[in-house]
Every structure is written in structure tokens, then in C-alpha cells.
Amino acid sequence: MLDVDQKHHLHPWEHMGSWKEGERYAFTRGDGIYVYDGAGRRLIDGPAGMWAVQIGYGRKEMADAIAAQVMELPYASPWSSTTAPAAALAEKVAAMAPENLNTVMFTTGGSTAVDTALRTMQFMNNRLGRPGKKIIIAREKGYHGSTYLAASVTGKERDKSCFDFEDRLVRFLPDVNPYIRPEGMSEAAWCDAKVDDLERLIADVGPEYIGAFIAEPVLCSGGVIIPPEGYHRRTLELCRRHDILYISDEVVTAFGRLGHWFASEEVFGIEPDIITCAKGITSGYLPLGACIISDRVMERMTGADHDVLFPNGYTYSAHPVCCAAALKNIEIIERDGLLEHVRAIAPQFQERLTALESSPIIGDARGMGLLGCLEGLIDGRNTPLDVQRTLGARLDEACEARGLIVRPLINMCVFSPPLTISPEQVDQMFDILTDAISEVE
Ligand code: PLP
């Protein structure tokens, strides 16, 4: 399977030409928190696919719900019609989202949800007669997707260096990771410094030119970076003061990863203007994303005039089969009490994670809910992160040999297992990590 694949299939973020045997998995099936490869090896899926498979693999009721919708109505144009699953899912998502976010635009995934959020801001400001208020403030290391606009607000240097992105429209804030704060600085002082970064940037650029601030509640692909206490609340306050839309990118954090439907309000105590989500909305069984918009933004988009065209959307927006999958996925999360389960199991997960910091090669073991990251020890806390570039890959190899997949990210590795993971399986996962670290040390 891998031979054919290598000849004809270009993967996301592929190291073209340098792919080697053993570097890629060929999965044949999944069951619970496990995936199986061609050789019949069973592996714990540490990253839940790509931060997605909340309810675990092999759920027959998902297959039944998907099949039933395919037979009933596999597709309908989202331009000229709606369908029962699309209407029901929009109502459900609006009810789960923070109180004043009641309008849902469905997209094909996370990148298109972010695109839609940013275009909403542009459209709103054009409608309000302030076409200059369009600059987007994003953050170094943030990841928001791979369409042109979503990639333009992504703050990963390596990825940006390969293309010509929309730099005119975007400004980046420095890393907020408390791990890299100067020796001796308290977390509160670090928070002050990071909020000051935003305040200064707004003053430098001029608030009349800034349309949106986009942030992940926990910055995930950049290395599970948890902002200092109070950061989101204070940055939201700054945005409100300057009439800048606050876009919370919850593509990873929504649908249970932190033990709540949405992390913005329930974990970080903020009500953003727009929330973007995807992945966990269907547990990855089918592709779907959503951009959830506040009543105030909707009012400002339409104004007194009720016949306003918003030319944005996709052939597969609100795809009825994907919406049916999302409804069944949400029903399973509710019925099986998975949010409560995550809240109950997270302390054990985080305690085992933190214990890994005792290794001489681990500098920081951080996480929240069922999100975790191990970062290699860096020599003097502010040296560039390329010091131990291969740590992620070495840990990945050592874990794989013991039956666990992790996601290597240069000198880090991250994991976010299915939400169904049991206490015994958490122990199994961290026993493997402990062994793997000892091998790599
Ligand atoms: N936003 C965040 C925070 C993400 O982590 C991702 C993907 O990992 C995206 C957006 C892009 O989502 P997609 O790959 O579904 O387009």
C-alpha cells in the first residue's frame, strides 16, 4: 500500500523526495482509542487522528446515521435549500455556543471556517463604511489553516517562508508561552507583558485600521501553549475598547477536548465575537467546520437593510451527511457523558504528564484537559527552540515501537487522545512515554 501511495499521493506537509520506509503509517482500521496498521499492529492513537476523533473509532451508530442520510438525501445545494440535519445542527450548535453567538455558517473544515470568520470581519467593516479597518492581529506559532487567508494569519515561520502570503493585512504578536519567560519573572508579570504587546501593537498600527484579533484558546499545533492566567479576558477587553472583533479559533479546543463544548467561555471566561470550530464536531468521521457569529456582528452586517448579499460559502457548506454525522456525534458525547469524563480524568492525565518533567531531557511538560505536550530541555530558557530539533522524532520512534503514536513537532511532541480513554489506558499511555523517554535520554 505504501509503495503505491508514495508514487501517486502528495500528503499535507510532505517532505517531498525524502520520504523513507517506516516514516509513514498505513492504517487499516480503528477501534476505540486504537488504530491498526497493515502488519496488524495495534497502536494507541495519541493524537486522535489530528486532534479530532473525540468519540473513538468503530462507532457503528455513526456508520448507521451516515448511511441513513446518504439514502435519504446525500446532497442539497446550500444556496437554494436547507435540510433537516443542517437546520437541526445549526440550532444545536447555537444552543451550545456562548449566549450571544446564535448564527452558524457551516464550512468544509477548520481553514474555511477561519476564512469565513475573517471575511465576515471584512464584510462587516465595508458595510459600516470603514474599509480601512481590516488589519488582523494574529500570534506567532498560531495555526489557523491552509487556505490562503487562514495561512496568512498562521504564525509558523517555516510554513510561511514557502509562499507569498497576505502580509499587508496581518501583524503578529510574539509568543505567549510562559515556558520562555525570562528567569525569575512571575506568570502575572508575563501576562502583563503579553497584554502590553497587544496594546502597543494596537497603538502602533492605529485601532482604526485593525479589524480583528484571532487566537486559539490553547495554542495547539504550535505546542499546546496555555496562555498566562487572565490573558484572554484582558485581550478581549482591549479588543472591545477598540472595536476589534475577537475571533476565538476553537478548531481543536471545542467539542470536549477541555471537558466543555467550547473553551472560550466555559474554560477562559470570555464571550468572543466569532468562534470557529471543526474536527471534533464530527469526531473526524466526515469533514465539517463552522463559523459561529454573534448577534451583534450579524446586526452590523445587515444593518437596517435586510436585503444584503454575503457572497461567501462552499458547495459542501452544511452538507447533509456531514451534519447528520455531527448530530450523532454530539448525541454520543452527551449520552456517554464524555465532557464529564474528560473533566474527571484530566487530573490523572495532567499529573502523569507533569511527572515526565523529572527526566533530564524534558524541559516542560504542559497541558490542559486531554491535551499534552512535551518540550525538550532548552539550554538556558531563552535559547532558540532548534536546540534539540530531533527530540520529537526520536520520542515518536521510541513510542511507536511500544505501541503508542505521538505527534512530533521539532523539539516537542504533542498528544490529544480520544476522549473515551479510560484511567487504565491513560496509565498505559504514560507508562509507554516514560519508557520511551528513558530510551531517548
Ligand atoms: N485552526 C486550528 C486551531 C487548527 O488546529 C487547524 C488544524 O489543525 C485549523 C484551523 C485548520 O483546520 P483544517 O485542517 O480542518 O482546515
Side-chain angles (χ1 to χ4, degrees):
M1 184 188 340
L2 282 170
D3 292 356
V4 178
D5 191 84
Q6 195 187 354
K7 276 196 196 119
H8 300 291
H9 183 183
L10 184 60
H11 291 251
W13 271 254
E14 169 136 352
H15 283 278
M16 289 180 298
S18 68
W19 182 89
K20 288 188 235 49
E21 183 117 17
E23 269 186 8
R24 178 165 293 143
Y25 298 102
F27 294 132
T28 51
R29 70 187 185 89
D31 182 23
I33 68 160
Y34 301 102
V35 283
Y36 293 79
D37 70 5
R41 253 186 342 159
R42 189 178 82 159
L43 298 139
I44 297 176
D45 187 3
M50 187 57 107
W51 328 85
V53 189
Q54 319 291 69
I55 59 172
Y57 296 93
R59 294 274 193 169
K60 183 168 178 311
E61 47 192 324
M62 287 293 282
D64 292 344
I66 290 166
Q69 187 58 45
V70 169
M71 293 312 294
E72 191 77 20
L73 183 69
Y75 179 75
S77 160
W79 271 254
S80 52
S81 55
T82 191
T83 62
L89 183 63
E91 184 187 33
K92 187 86 189 161
V93 169
M96 293 185 313
E99 195 182 342
N100 294 305
L101 278 73
N102 288 304
T103 303
V104 184
M105 181 155 210
F106 291 114
T107 67
T108 53
S111 307
T112 46
V114 168
D115 247 63
T116 295
L118 297 172
R119 290 172 70 175
T120 297
M121 175 276 285
Q122 293 186 348
F123 184 87
M124 184 192 87
N125 281 327
N126 284 338
R127 288 275 306 156
L128 292 174
R130 44 190 206 189
K133 197 168 166 66
K134 298 281 176 52
I135 288 177
I136 302 149
I137 297 183
R139 303 187 303 167
E140 277 177 12
K141 296 216 180 113
Y143 181 73
H144 300 290
S146 198
T147 57
Y148 185 60
L149 194 51
S152 295
V153 294
T154 284
K156 291 181 150 182
E157 258 330 296
R158 180 196 59 181
D159 302 351
K160 295 178 76 67
S161 62
C162 314
F163 302 101
D164 303 310
F165 284 121
E166 199 48 275
D167 295 338
R168 221 171 21 101
L169 285 178
V170 190
R171 301 286 183 279
F172 288 95
L173 287 173
D175 197 350
V176 300
N177 191 355
Y179 178 52
I180 59 154
R181 69 188 188 271
E183 203 76 58
M185 182 188 253
S186 71
E187 192 172 323
W190 180 247
C191 185
D192 290 345
K194 295 294 109 184
V195 175
D196 286 350
D197 286 344
L198 177 60
E199 192 156 21
R200 212 172 316 114
L201 186 58
I202 293 174
D204 285 353
V205 175
E208 67 278 25
Y209 299 111
I210 305 171
F213 172 61
I214 183 163
E216 299 159 77
V218 171
L219 194 154
C220 289
S221 298
V224 185
I225 295 171
I226 295 134
E229 174 71 32
Y231 174 83
H232 286 306
R233 190 180 36 72
R234 290 174 61 191
T235 50
L236 177 80
E237 278 164 17
L238 270 178
C239 289
R240 288 276 144 83
R241 196 180 314 150
H242 297 292
D243 199 7
I244 295 166
L245 293 190
Y246 190 107
I247 301 171
S248 185
D249 185 354
E250 293 227 33
V251 165
V252 173
T253 53
F255 297 98
R257 182 59 49 207
L258 301 184
H260 297 276
W261 291 118
F262 293 98
S264 304
E265 186 176 45
E266 292 170 276
V267 179
F268 293 99
I270 60 160
E271 187 175 286
D273 298 295
I274 297 180
I275 291 179
T276 50
C277 58
K279 298 186 187 273
I281 192 171
T282 57
S283 280
Y285 277 65
L286 285 176
L288 184 70
C291 173
I292 316 168
I293 306 169
S294 76
D295 299 341
R296 177 164 157 73
V297 171
M298 286 304 294
E299 276 159 27
R300 296 170 95 195
M301 281 170 79
T302 49
D305 180 357
H306 288 290
D307 184 20
V308 184
L309 180 71
F310 181 44
N312 179 63
Y314 312 91
T315 298
Y316 298 126
S317 288
H319 192 287
V321 184
C322 302
C323 290
L327 284 168
K328 182 52 76 177
N329 174 58
I330 292 167
E331 184 189 315
I332 292 171
I333 295 176
E334 276 173 338
R335 185 201 61 208
D336 292 1
L338 289 182
L339 302 183
E340 296 78 3
H341 174 70
V342 171
R343 295 203 291 271
I345 208 168
Q348 177 199 354
F349 184 91
Q350 295 300 331
E351 197 177 305
R352 293 278 331 241
L353 174 67
T354 314
L356 300 177
E357 250 181 37
S358 61
S359 157
I361 59 166
I362 301 297
D364 198 24
R366 55 179 175 263
M368 188 179 245
L370 286 187
L371 281 173
C373 174
L374 292 172
E375 179 162 347
L377 186 68
I378 46 179
D379 161 31
R381 301 178 111 206
N382 280 321
T383 37
L385 295 183
D386 61 356
V387 177
Q388 291 200 7
R389 297 196 80 84
T390 57
L391 181 76
R394 282 184 289 146
L395 271 181
D396 180 37
E397 205 180 315
C399 286
E400 185 199 325
R402 293 165 172 80
L404 168 68
I405 302 169
V406 292
R407 187 165 168 230
L409 289 170
I410 310 175
N411 69 327
M412 299 180 277
C413 72
V414 295
F415 28 88
S416 52
L419 309 186
T420 51
I421 193 166
S422 69
E424 297 70 36
Q425 289 167 332
V426 168
D427 279 337
Q428 204 182 337
M429 187 176 152
F430 282 100
D431 289 348
I432 292 177
L433 273 163
T434 309
D435 263 17
I437 290 170
S438 316
E439 182 190 311
V440 169
E441 270 172 16

